[in-house]
Amino acid sequence: MIERNIRVSHLSLILVLLMLAGCSSPSVSDNSDNAQQSSTDKTVTETSSATGGTDQTAPVTKKETVEATRPENAEVDREADMALISASSRGDEQSVKRLLKQGADVHARDETGGTTPLIAAAYGNRLEIARILIEAGADVNVKDETQQSAYLISTAEVGDDPRLLKLTLANGANVRSLDSYNGTGLIRAADRGYVDVVRELLKTDIDVDHINNLGWTALLEAIILGNCDQRHTEVVRLLVEAGADVNLADGNGVTPLQHARQQNCTEIAQILENSGAV
């Protein structure tokens, strides 16, 4: 009986030890897992600290990707911009619309003279193209490197056709804008004898007596450069009727009437004399 009790006690002890061993194994495993997780967390924390935080990792990667591809994208964009200028110059409406839709810059400039799409269109008197570009945000007063803007071009570079001028005036043209000779659009139009353009400009508050860096007004330009032809004679008439100072001399003190007489411009001289010129 005693032996049996001893065996039972031994068996019980063995069972208790086995149970204790079974409970401790998961604990060891758990501790190992916790230690591994703690190590992982520490690594992530250290990595995040080194890179500025986990949330900033994606932007940094994206920025590096953008910077890596930017030259290629910039070149593509530049090609589209130049294509827009070219299409505007030749009046290719479909291409202009397509390029604008694809993101070509309406304010782009070429590398040779600072020509914009609108300036290119203006030189060709491309009215519909100019209208599309203006609607897309082009500024009629922006100048190229020769100090020409769409507005100034409309006063002198497209013949005696006031349609482009009217378009620029309707879209914020600055009639006080000056060209490379410090001349107004009115002086430019008077120089060329563009009667209809002069007539349109005189409807604005443009300075009829502005003097350019040659010392000439629009009236003097029409007389000196007009060779007494009928177009320039009509420009003189319009300018005088608009209140031009008929006695405002050039930089050398020569008056409009003196210039007219020197060139035997009889009709122009008569217009001036009738308006009080001396």
Side-chain angles (χ1 to χ4, degrees):
M1 176 67 68
I2 294 173
E3 291 179 357
R4 182 172 179 272
N5 289 338
I6 292 172
R7 284 197 300 272
V8 170
S9 298
H10 285 173
L11 181 61
S12 298
L13 180 61
I14 292 170
L15 289 173
V16 169
L17 290 174
L18 287 174
M19 289 177 64
L20 288 174
C23 291
S24 61
S25 295
S27 298
V28 172
S29 177
D30 289 345
N31 290 337
S32 176
D33 289 343
N34 289 338
Q36 183 177 358
Q37 182 64 42
S38 176
S39 176
T40 302
D41 290 344
K42 182 179 180 182
T43 302
V44 171
T45 301
E46 290 175 349
T47 303
S48 298
S49 299
T51 59
T54 305
D55 290 342
Q56 295 182 16
T57 302
V60 169
T61 302
K62 184 177 181 181
K63 182 179 179 182
E64 291 173 351
T65 301
V66 170
E67 288 176 348
T69 59
R70 186 173 296 152
E72 180 181 352
N73 290 340
E75 184 63 30
V76 171
D77 291 343
R78 187 63 177 165
E79 289 178 3
D81 293 346
M82 295 304 98
L84 178 60
I85 293 173
S86 177
S88 299
S89 178
R90 65 179 184 270
D92 187 343
E93 184 176 338
Q94 284 189 331
S95 292
V96 167
K97 289 181 177 179
R98 173 177 55 78
L99 288 163
L100 286 172
K101 187 174 182 180
Q102 292 175 351
D105 187 1
V106 74
H107 306 296
R109 293 177 179 272
D110 68 15
E111 297 176 352
T112 57
T115 299
T116 65
L118 181 56
I119 288 174
Y123 271 119
N125 203 23
R126 310 291 189 182
L127 296 175
E128 187 55 35
I129 300 299
R131 188 174 291 107
I132 292 170
L133 294 170
I134 291 171
E135 289 177 353
D139 187 340
V140 300
N141 296 304
V142 167
K143 298 178 181 179
D144 62 14
E145 292 179 3
T146 66
Q147 299 304 299
Q148 295 268 42
S149 65
Y151 158 67
L152 288 172
I153 290 168
S154 75
T155 68
E157 309 296 342
V158 297
D160 194 14
D161 179 357
R163 293 177 299 164
L164 180 60
L165 172 61
K166 290 180 180 179
L167 178 63
T168 62
L169 290 173
N171 287 278
N174 177 15
V175 295
R176 303 283 173 169
S177 182
L178 305 176
D179 64 11
S180 60
Y181 288 92
N182 199 43
T184 63
L186 184 62
I187 290 178
R188 293 158 60 89
D191 166 2
R192 292 159 175 78
Y194 291 164
V195 176
D196 290 339
V197 172
V198 167
R199 185 178 288 113
E200 199 65 35
L201 285 168
L202 289 173
K203 296 177 183 178
T204 73
D205 65 348
I206 198 165
D207 184 1
V208 71
D209 289 323
H210 177 83
I211 300 172
N212 64 15
N213 60 14
L214 298 176
W216 295 350
T217 62
L219 182 59
L220 284 167
E221 291 251 353
I223 297 170
I224 296 171
L225 301 175
N227 297 318
C228 309
D229 64 28
Q230 195 56 47
R231 292 185 299 111
H232 286 85
T233 299
E234 182 58 23
V235 167
V236 168
R237 190 188 313 278
L238 290 171
L239 292 171
V240 170
E241 290 176 353
D245 186 344
V246 295
N247 290 308
L248 190 55
D250 64 18
N252 296 317
V254 182
T255 66
L257 181 58
Q258 290 172 325
H259 276 292
R261 287 172 176 170
Q262 289 172 3
Q263 297 190 53
N264 296 316
C265 298
T266 305
E267 189 174 354
I268 289 177
Q270 188 63 56
I271 294 171
L272 296 172
E273 289 171 351
N274 291 342
S275 300
V278 292

